[in-house]
Amino acid sequence: YKYKMEGCSKPTLGKRLLSIKEVTQEYGATEWFWRTRIWDGELPYIKAGRKQLIERNDLEHFINKNRTVEQVF
């Protein structure tokens, strides 16, 4: 089916590999945030031509690894 609402894109929930643009739409933060994580070696990626694809499992691992809980006194 087609998406008629302006600014809306196809849902990516079932996809295993996401482009950086799709990652920003689904997980938030900016493209530069995610690119920097890749360049710094914190987030693995798959190179497909000029495109960088990120596996959903790697995103979840990155998020869980960097999760913190602040203690409030």
Side-chain angles (χ1 to χ4, degrees), residues 56-73:
R56 187 176 300 278
N57 290 340
D58 291 330
L59 285 164
E60 295 297 328
H61 178 72
F62 172 82
I63 291 167
N64 290 330
K65 183 177 82 171
N66 290 288
R67 182 174 294 180
T68 60
V69 178
E70 277 190 43
Q71 293 181 0
V72 180
F73 295 98

Side-chain angles (χ1 to χ4, degrees), residues 41-54:
E42 298 175 43
L43 185 63
Y45 69 98
I46 297 162
K47 188 166 178 116
R50 296 181 64 195
K51 213 171 200 178
Q52 295 170 324
L53 300 173
I54 304 168

Side-chain angles (χ1 to χ4, degrees), residues 26-43:
E26 192 167 320
Y27 288 85
T30 64
E31 287 188 30
W32 284 110
F33 172 84
W34 294 111
R35 287 184 198 283
T36 304
R37 303 294 77 79
I38 288 171
W39 296 333
D40 290 348
E42 298 175 43
L43 185 63

Side-chain angles (χ1 to χ4, degrees), residues 3-17:
Y3 296 88
K4 296 181 181 181
M5 294 176 59
E6 195 170 316
C8 289
S9 62
K10 286 184 175 182
T12 59
L13 201 52
K15 293 176 73 174
R16 178 178 173 188
L17 299 175

